[in-house]
């Protein structure tokens, strides 16, 4: 029994170009040429009768061709219109039978002989195969794994024969025993081939149904690419074919096997390797159904196929070959045979991504290369590499990648690549890390940018590789995991070191937001004796928390490389090891000093590139420095731009060793905590910074850069506190702030309220010279009654220079003019003008200094200076 009205409603749109017979007594009556013989007249007919039935046939062929055949010619299947209440006769009832009996999802117990259902699987779908006339011949049943079992596949497919619309047991007859193996949707495909329509050959029945629903002729193979039958060839002979597999490795292999299997039997063959904006579709193993469900439509699909997909049978186009001579090749005279093929490359191209670099007007691209041994390589470069054969070969940058063409062939390759291999267009940034993108804070990596929910957008990427691949699949920690490492995180060294390091980790994650507010981020310097554990702290605490492993050796890095590396990322640290200024030449020390200062102040440098353009490089990256020695000449400018922790062996005890071992053991947990900190750093509102930073100012009596360092690291520690608080775990930031302040007082300010100036360093040298017995009677006079000290620069300044030179003293010395200028601007000078003062019985133009302020500096040798007369023989001549 049929639902004839439903059937005819489906048929009507296919009859619009047919002749309608208005004189008929039927409700509807159409005539058309029969497809089964040569006919000059419209001898075939189909009609919806007044009593509700449908008749179809051919006046010439007779009754041997009836409704089934006519429906198949129109691309329809009679079974789709059988009423649902007919027992086991409609697809719906067959599906109900499959569900009820778990067809194919049972195994026979060897001991009891009872058939047992595999409850780890659940029915998912059933796909029905017909012959050319629309008669059901088999069904492919899909079961999905619902209880994850290690040795069971996620999907299970069962095939069964159908006879007279009943499912036949596998013990009676199997699908491979059928006299003919049919492709999916066989009747409609045969009709579409006759009409010259394109046939979409997809990887599975689900995708075929999707395309059929959207009005395309589609099919798939029941047996997949692994075992193909010649019957498939016969059913697709002469077809205009579009191959469209899943967008992954197995899908690509499936398409390649179908290509080789059907190549000689079809008229045209387009291969769809990609679809527009596929990277924005959520999921990993993607197919055309996923793409359409993501908001795309069938017109986009067909436009893309015929505009941007290559007909692999067109021998006048460059082609890829993966069996005859692997690589990209061309036919020299339009004939595809070994004699006329010329191999251009020994690799194939899986895709070309256009890269719009924000910081340059030059167009860049990424080429995804696949080698014959199935390795995938990525090469990024300027579009200009296609202008020169040598540049293109340099761009390939591999001994096993070969290009054999001339400049003309290279231009052809360029056109071919960007027409048929173009994938995504991305915006690339020369600076990665947490930064503001289109009004939203995102973490920009080479894999794409992500928000605080870790949703990736591949349209915004960091241009270079950043070794940040593992972060994407990392999970957030559990409360139990944080508790597992919490105590160890707070006890791996003495408290001043612990809280300074943790605070700096948090501050590095806030660096992008600091830059937006013009807040400078201090460097972290980890100094100390060999074997004290500097590398242990950096490699097993800082790096795991930052999910970043790269480190540079100081001796191996050039000045330009320092500048370039420091401009690459706003969040991931530039970690520099083996800082040993006593081993470096003075020029390198000066370059490093300049670099560290400029990196703190974010001062840009102007450089030229190979295209004779000038580019501006701005250091924005957090810097961590490690070494056995402190800064060169104890340079004040560097010390006040850093927070310095000194690590010594004396800090090690049983407790710290246990803590370190626990952190090393649970590195994965630290990675997860690092991801949690990134989430918090992305979410934190910069509008709250001012209030927090103002509250920190009240905690200490620091000034200028040391104060900024203190606030940065307390704010970084507070970031960790807020992250842990999500799990109900409290971190005492106030206590941590006290330890951070103590570290700054001891190691930066050296128990003062502010760092020493260069003038003060010069005074300390003078004091040291006096304590070592150097005579300065001709350049120095102390007047205790007037509470002042007079110095005569023409004597004092050369004496300091000679002292440093003769005793190989590593100390920075201002030039004479700079010393005078800074002296005049200091608080120590009581009178800015020189005055005639008698020193050692000679009147000299001297400067007058405040004795009390020098005493506050602890310069006892200067303040108590009393020249000894030469006749006593006690003055050591200079």
């Amino acid at each position: 029994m049929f639902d004839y009205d439903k059937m005819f409603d489906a048929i009507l749109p296919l009859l619009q170009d047919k002749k309608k017979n208005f004189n008929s007594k039927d409700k509807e009556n159409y005539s058309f040429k029969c497809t089964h013989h040569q006919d000059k007249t419209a001898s075939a007919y189909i009609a919806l009768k007044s009593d509700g039935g449908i008749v179809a046939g051919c006046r010439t062929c007779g009754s041997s061709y009836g409704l089934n055949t006519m429906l198949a010619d129109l691309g329809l299947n009679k079974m789709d219109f059988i009423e649902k209440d007919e027992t086991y006769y409609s697809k719906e009832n067959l599906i109900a039978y499959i569900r009820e009996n778990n067809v194919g999802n049972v195994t026979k117990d060897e001991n009891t002989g009872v058939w047992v259902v595999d409850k780890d699987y659940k029915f998912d779908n059933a796909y029905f195969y017909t012959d050319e006339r629309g008669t059901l011949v088999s069904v492919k049943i899909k079961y999905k794994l619902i209880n994850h079992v290690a040795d069971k596949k996620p999907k299970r497919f069962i095939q069964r024969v159908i006879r007279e619309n009943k499912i036949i047991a596998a013990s009676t007859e199997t699908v491979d025993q059928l006299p003919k193996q049919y492709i999916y949707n066989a009747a409609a495909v045969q009709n579409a081939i006759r009409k010259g329509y394109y046939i979409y050959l997809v990887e599975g029945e689900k995708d075929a149904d999707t395309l059929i629903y959207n009005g395309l002729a589609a099919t798939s193979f029941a047996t997949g690419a692994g075992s193909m039958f010649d019957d498939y060839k016969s059913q697709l002979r002469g077809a205009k074919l579009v191959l469209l597999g899943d967008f992954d490795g197995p899908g690509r292999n499936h398409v390649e096997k179908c290509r080789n299997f059907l190549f000689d039997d079809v008229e045209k063959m387009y291969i769809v390797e990609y679809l527009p904006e596929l990277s924005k579709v959520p999921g990993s193993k993607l197919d055309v159904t996923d793409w359409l469900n993501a908001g795309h439509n069938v017109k986009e699909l067909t436009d893309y196929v015929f505009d941007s997909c290559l007909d692999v049978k067109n021998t006048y186009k460059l082609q890829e070959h993966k069996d005859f001579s692997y690589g990209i090749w061309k036919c020299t005279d339009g004939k595809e045979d070994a004699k006329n093929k010329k191999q251009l490359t020994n690799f194939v191209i899986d895709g070309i991504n256009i890269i719009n670099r924000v910081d340059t007007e030059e167009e860049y691209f990424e080429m995804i290369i696949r080698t014959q041994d199935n390795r995938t390589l990525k090469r990024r470069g300027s579009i200009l590499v296609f202008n020169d054969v040598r540049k293109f070969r340099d761009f390939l940058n591999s001994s096993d990648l070969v290009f054999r063409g001339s400049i003309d062939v290279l231009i052809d390759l360029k056109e071919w690549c960007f027409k048929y291999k173009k994938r995504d267009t991305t915006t690339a940034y020369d600076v990665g890390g947490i930064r503001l993108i289109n009004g939203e804070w995102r973490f920009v990596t080479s894999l794409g940018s992500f928000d605080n929910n870790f949703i990736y957008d591949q349209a915004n990427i960091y241009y270079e590789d950043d070794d940040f691949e593992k972060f994407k699949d990392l999970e957030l920690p559990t409360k139990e995991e944080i508790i597992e490492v919490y105590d160890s995180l707070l006890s791996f060294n003495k408290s001043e070191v612990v809280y300074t390091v943790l605070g700096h980790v948090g501050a590095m994650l806030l660096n992008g937001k600091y830059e937006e507010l013009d807040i400078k981020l201090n460097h972290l310097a980890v100094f100390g004796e060999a074997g004290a554990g500097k590398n242990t702290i950096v490699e097993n605490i800082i790096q795991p928390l930052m999910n970043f492993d790269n480190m540079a050796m100081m001796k191996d890095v050039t000045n330009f490389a320092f500048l370039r590396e420091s401009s690459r990322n706003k969040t991931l640290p530039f970690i520099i090891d083996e800082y040993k200024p006593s081993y470096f030449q003075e020029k390198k020390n000066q370059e490093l000093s300049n670099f560290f200062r400029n990196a703190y102040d974010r001062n840009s440098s102007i450089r030229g590139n190979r295209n004779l353009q000038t580019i501006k490089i701005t250091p924005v990256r957090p810097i961590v420095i490690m070494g056995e020695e402190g800064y060169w000449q104890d340079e004040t400018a560097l010390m006040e731009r850093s927070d310095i922790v000194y690590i010594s062996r004396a800090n090690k005890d049983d407790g710290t060793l246990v803590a370190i071992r626990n952190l090393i053991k649970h590195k994965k947990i630290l990675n997860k905590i690092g991801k949690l900190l990134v989430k918090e750093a992305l979410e934190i509102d910069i509008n709250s910074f001012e209030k927090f930073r103002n509250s920190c100012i009240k905690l200490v009596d620091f000034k200028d850069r040391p104060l900024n360092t203190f606030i940065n690291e307390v704010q970084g520690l507070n970031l960790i506190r807020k992250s842990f608080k999500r799990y109900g775990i409290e971190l005492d930031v106030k206590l941590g702030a006290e330890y951070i302040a103590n570290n700054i007082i001891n190691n930066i300010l050296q128990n003062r309220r502010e760092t020493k100036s260069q003038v003060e360093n010069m005074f300390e040298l003078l004091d040291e010279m006096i304590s070592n017995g150097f005579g300065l009677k001709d350049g120095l006079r102390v007047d205790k009654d007037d509470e002042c000290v007079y110095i005569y620069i023409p004597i004092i300044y050369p004496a300091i220079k000679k002292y440093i030179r003769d005793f190989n003293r590593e100390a920075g010395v201002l030039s004479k003019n700079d010393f005078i200028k800074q002296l005049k601007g200091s608080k120590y000078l009581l009178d800015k003008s020189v005055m005639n003062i008698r020193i050692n019985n000679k009147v000299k133009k001297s400067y007058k200094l405040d004795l009390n302020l020098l005493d506050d500096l602890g310069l006892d040798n200067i303040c108590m200076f009393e020249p000894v007369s030469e006749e006593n023989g006690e003055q050591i001549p200079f």
Side-chain angles (χ1 to χ4, degrees), residues 719-787:
L719 176 75
I720 299 176
R721 181 194 69 82
K722 289 169 68 70
S723 300
F724 285 179
K725 192 173 181 180
R726 293 173 180 266
Y727 297 80
I729 300 171
E730 286 294 337
L731 177 67
D732 193 338
V733 172
K734 187 175 181 181
L735 176 65
E738 293 177 6
Y739 286 118
I740 291 171
N742 288 340
N743 188 73
I744 292 173
I745 292 170
N746 294 332
N747 297 331
I748 309 299
L749 301 178
Q750 298 179 346
N751 297 310
R752 295 155 47 87
R753 292 177 60 241
E754 52 188 324
T755 53
K756 290 180 291 185
S757 66
Q758 284 290 80
V759 169
E760 290 171 339
N761 286 333
M762 297 281 274
F763 290 159
E764 285 191 347
L765 279 170
L766 276 174
D767 195 71
E768 182 182 316
M769 290 165 65
I770 295 169
S771 69
N772 287 330
F774 277 77
L776 296 171
K777 66 176 184 177
D778 292 330
L780 192 65
R781 172 186 161 189
V782 176
D783 188 336
K784 294 181 180 178
D785 294 332
D786 201 15
E787 296 183 336

Side-chain angles (χ1 to χ4, degrees), residues 623-821:
I623 293 178
V624 177
I625 308 154
M626 290 190 292
E628 294 178 21
E629 305 173 21
Y631 285 121
W632 181 52
Q633 299 179 342
D634 291 329
E635 186 176 345
T636 301
L638 299 185
M639 293 180 68
E640 64 183 10
R641 285 170 168 81
S642 308
D643 201 353
I644 303 173
V645 292
Y646 284 96
I647 312 296
S648 70
R649 297 178 188 177
N651 295 342
K652 291 183 177 181
D653 56 30
D654 291 342
T656 60
L657 290 174
V658 169
I660 286 291
R661 291 191 190 109
N662 189 47
L663 294 176
I664 294 173
K665 176 183 176 182
H666 294 105
K667 179 180 177 181
K668 192 73 173 180
I669 296 178
L670 296 185
N671 293 151
K672 293 180 179 181
I673 291 174
K675 187 162 188 172
L676 176 65
L677 299 181
V678 169
K679 177 179 177 66
E680 191 67 49
L682 285 164
E683 290 182 356
I684 194 168
D685 183 8
I686 62 174
N687 294 322
S688 65
F689 278 30
E690 183 177 4
K691 182 179 179 181
F692 182 86
R693 295 177 76 84
N694 285 337
S695 66
C696 289
I697 293 174
K698 302 173 184 176
L699 300 177
V700 290
D701 188 20
F702 300 159
K703 295 181 180 179
D704 304 324
R705 294 189 184 102
L707 175 60
N708 184 62
T709 295
F710 171 76
I711 298 173
N712 285 347
E713 296 190 343
V714 174
Q715 192 166 30
L717 194 62
N718 190 54
L719 176 75
I720 299 176
R721 181 194 69 82
K722 289 169 68 70
S723 300
F724 285 179
K725 192 173 181 180
R726 293 173 180 266
Y727 297 80
I729 300 171
E730 286 294 337
L731 177 67
D732 193 338
V733 172
K734 187 175 181 181
L735 176 65
E738 293 177 6
Y739 286 118
I740 291 171
N742 288 340
N743 188 73
I744 292 173
I745 292 170
N746 294 332
N747 297 331
I748 309 299
L749 301 178
Q750 298 179 346
N751 297 310
R752 295 155 47 87
R753 292 177 60 241
E754 52 188 324
T755 53
K756 290 180 291 185
S757 66
Q758 284 290 80
V759 169
E760 290 171 339
N761 286 333
M762 297 281 274
F763 290 159
E764 285 191 347
L765 279 170
L766 276 174
D767 195 71
E768 182 182 316
M769 290 165 65
I770 295 169
S771 69
N772 287 330
F774 277 77
L776 296 171
K777 66 176 184 177
D778 292 330
L780 192 65
R781 172 186 161 189
V782 176
D783 188 336
K784 294 181 180 178
D785 294 332
D786 201 15
E787 296 183 336
C788 65
V789 176
Y790 297 99
I791 64 170
Y792 179 52
I793 299 297
I795 294 290
I796 293 297
Y797 185 79
I800 294 175
K801 295 257 316 187
K802 189 173 188 304
Y803 176 77
I804 290 172
R805 184 176 63 251
D806 290 351
F807 286 82
N808 196 25
R809 192 64 169 76
E810 289 186 8
V813 180
L814 293 168
S815 69
K816 182 178 179 181
N817 287 336
D818 285 337
F819 176 58
I820 293 172
K821 288 176 182 177

Side-chain angles (χ1 to χ4, degrees), residues 133-270:
R133 297 175 178 271
T135 302
L136 289 177
V137 294
S138 66
V139 61
K140 186 175 180 180
I141 308 165
K142 178 182 177 183
Y143 290 96
K144 286 183 72 173
L145 187 67
I146 55 174
N147 301 316
H148 293 287
V149 180
D151 59 344
K152 291 189 176 183
K153 296 180 179 180
K155 291 180 287 186
R156 170 185 287 173
F157 290 97
I158 308 296
Q159 294 191 73
R160 291 289 183 266
V161 174
I162 296 178
R163 294 282 186 203
E164 297 180 354
N165 296 83
K166 292 184 179 180
I167 296 175
I168 306 301
S171 58
T172 302
E173 183 180 11
T174 59
V175 172
D176 57 358
Q177 293 173 317
L178 288 170
K180 186 174 182 178
Q181 300 296 323
Y182 286 97
I183 61 175
Y184 191 60
N185 195 32
V189 167
Q190 288 297 304
N191 182 55
I193 292 174
R194 285 194 295 269
K195 294 182 177 181
Y197 298 160
Y198 278 89
I199 311 299
Y200 287 75
L201 175 56
V202 293
E203 194 169 339
E205 295 87 355
K206 179 195 73 172
D207 291 336
D209 284 346
T210 297
L211 296 183
I212 292 167
Y213 177 81
N214 281 276
L216 298 177
T219 187
S220 67
F221 297 158
T223 51
S227 55
M228 297 185 188
F229 297 94
D230 286 340
D231 289 336
Y232 296 163
K233 283 185 180 182
S234 65
Q235 293 169 80
L236 291 170
R237 187 162 288 125
K240 297 176 182 177
L241 201 62
V242 178
L243 294 180
L244 203 169
D246 292 348
F247 300 103
D248 59 4
R252 184 175 61 233
N253 293 336
H254 174 88
V255 167
E256 191 59 28
K257 289 180 180 179
C258 290
R259 174 193 187 278
N260 296 335
F261 179 68
L262 297 168
F263 190 85
D264 294 330
D265 293 277
V266 298
E267 179 184 342
K268 287 181 176 293
M269 181 184 285
Y270 287 86

Side-chain angles (χ1 to χ4, degrees), residues 32-50:
F32 46 94
K33 291 182 181 179
C34 182
T35 59
H36 297 275
H37 60 86
Q38 296 294 326
D39 194 355
K40 296 182 179 179
T41 61
S43 59
Y45 62 88
I46 187 167
L48 175 63
K49 300 178 69 175
S50 299

